[in-house]
Amino acid sequence: MHAYLIIAHDQFDLLESLLKCIDDERNDIYIHIDSHSKLDISRIQSVLQNSRVEFVPRIHIRWGGFDMVRCEYELLEAAFESGEYDYVHLISGADLPLKNQDEMHRYFDEHKGEEFVHFGAPEPTEKELERVRYYHFASGRRNFFNRLVTQAETVLGRIFGINRINGKKMQRGSQWFSVTGEFAKYLISQKSFVFKQFKHTYIPDEFFVQTVIINSSFADNLHSKKFDDDHEACLRYIDWTRGHPYTFKSEDYDELMNSGCLFARKFSIVQDDKIVRKITSAVLNG
């Protein structure tokens, strides 16, 4: 069995396409809908015919803040209160799979025991480490004022010699992952450490999974140990060169389907609904 953990906040039509693509009796689906979202949960339930679905308590996730970490733990804990899983996939509501479920399950059967986690580099830069070295209380607001406050907090942290890292090995990468049930349970067991270490830091969702796994024996099971910012390490096709990240369009279809990855992000019904329909059709009929 696999568990899909989905974090969504808008675009129900896109989320509906995603859910149709992963609706399979071999999958349980756990969904968090942002509390500020107007998505109709009853409509979501009507989409799924084969998978069991569960909604976790809704909170408002503010960009760059600790809310994202809290949300991920809500999803992880809900999953393992309900059952045991071979693999756990964290995806967003703006993602789509690029393979059908038979191909997905076959791939993970063939790579059983491997952890698919992305790392940005062999070591985080000093600027990246400052996100978690100092206290950041205003990181939940993505605006000009927030940037000023974050910069001021960094300066004050330097002046007062604050060091929340204290020799710990830190790593950074994408928050999206596909990991074994064993590592997912280990990550849950590290909740106290994660909450103490990363609360009141800046963009902690890019640090906590990588930091936990690199300081554990699960690091030996990483699918890719290159740490070269290649998102193939987590089986996602994500393009940061054309956007933040780039939103895929119809002309990118062949590029996506030939990427070798199992998932891609991100998509937008508003910007290009044709690519969503085309991929959904290919996955459901492939």
Side-chain angles (χ1 to χ4, degrees), residues 15 20 69 259 262:
L15 179 59
K20 286 180 179 178
V69 178
S259 67
L262 302 190

Side-chain angles (χ1 to χ4, degrees), residues 2-243:
H2 287 203
Y4 279 85
L5 316 181
I6 302 176
I7 301 174
H9 68 280
D10 61 4
Q11 297 194 86
F12 175 80
D13 290 339
L14 176 55
L15 179 59
E16 180 177 2
S17 294
L18 165 61
L19 292 173
K20 286 180 179 178
C21 288
I22 62 174
D23 185 20
D24 189 283
E25 61 185 8
R26 295 166 291 184
N27 301 331
D28 287 341
I29 301 172
Y30 301 84
I31 304 176
H32 175 268
I33 305 295
D34 192 277
S35 63
H36 285 197
S37 171
K38 296 181 180 179
L39 288 179
D40 186 346
I41 291 178
S42 63
R43 281 187 63 190
I44 295 174
Q45 291 173 311
S46 67
V47 170
L48 296 168
Q49 303 298 318
N50 302 299
S51 295
R52 187 178 67 81
V53 62
E54 182 177 331
F55 297 90
V56 302
R58 300 171 65 174
I59 61 174
H60 177 47
I61 299 176
R62 299 167 298 170
W63 185 89
F66 193 73
D67 307 304
M68 185 65 80
V69 178
R70 197 184 307 277
C71 173
E72 290 184 36
Y73 268 98
E74 288 280 357
L75 289 163
L76 285 164
E77 290 175 333
F80 283 92
E81 284 174 1
S82 301
E84 294 288 322
Y85 299 99
D86 297 312
Y87 271 91
V88 177
H89 313 280
L90 178 69
I91 58 178
S92 84
D95 295 6
L96 286 174
L98 301 177
K99 306 289 184 183
N100 63 48
Q101 284 304 301
D102 286 338
E103 293 173 299
M104 286 277 195
H105 281 266
R106 186 181 309 118
Y107 182 90
F108 287 103
D109 286 344
E110 292 172 353
H111 294 268
K112 187 175 181 179
E114 295 182 25
E115 310 293 349
F116 299 88
V117 178
H118 166 268
F119 289 81
E123 298 289 341
T125 65
E126 181 57 32
K127 186 174 182 180
E128 290 169 341
L129 287 173
E130 286 180 340
R131 300 181 192 175
V132 293
R133 186 188 305 280
Y134 307 129
Y135 286 94
H136 293 286
F137 295 98
S139 59
R141 296 188 294 274
R142 192 178 189 179
N143 52 38
F144 179 69
F145 173 75
N146 166 250
R147 291 193 291 272
L148 287 179
V149 173
T150 299
Q151 290 172 7
E153 290 170 331
T154 298
V155 171
L156 289 172
R158 292 172 184 162
I159 291 172
F160 289 103
I162 295 171
N163 186 2
R164 299 181 65 182
I165 297 176
N166 288 322
K168 300 183 185 74
K169 184 173 179 58
M170 294 282 166
Q171 275 289 359
R172 187 200 69 82
S174 172
Q175 75 179 98
W176 314 109
F177 57 71
S178 292
V179 298
T180 62
E182 289 81 2
F183 175 69
K185 288 189 289 186
Y186 178 74
L187 189 58
I188 293 171
S189 77
Q190 297 301 300
K191 181 179 179 179
S192 295
F193 161 74
V194 169
F195 275 51
K196 180 179 179 180
Q197 185 69 48
F198 294 103
K199 192 174 183 181
H200 301 310
T201 60
Y202 186 48
I203 321 181
D205 50 289
E206 292 186 354
F207 269 91
F208 82 99
V209 173
Q210 285 77 6
T211 296
V212 169
I213 199 168
I214 204 65
N215 287 287
S216 76
S217 61
F218 290 96
D220 296 333
N221 303 330
L222 285 166
H223 173 68
S224 174
K225 300 181 177 68
K226 295 179 182 179
F227 296 9
D228 57 356
D229 201 24
D230 186 349
H231 283 81
E232 187 275 335
C234 64
L235 306 176
R236 272 72 173 165
Y237 197 65
I238 307 173
D239 185 351
W240 286 93
T241 61
R242 291 179 285 178

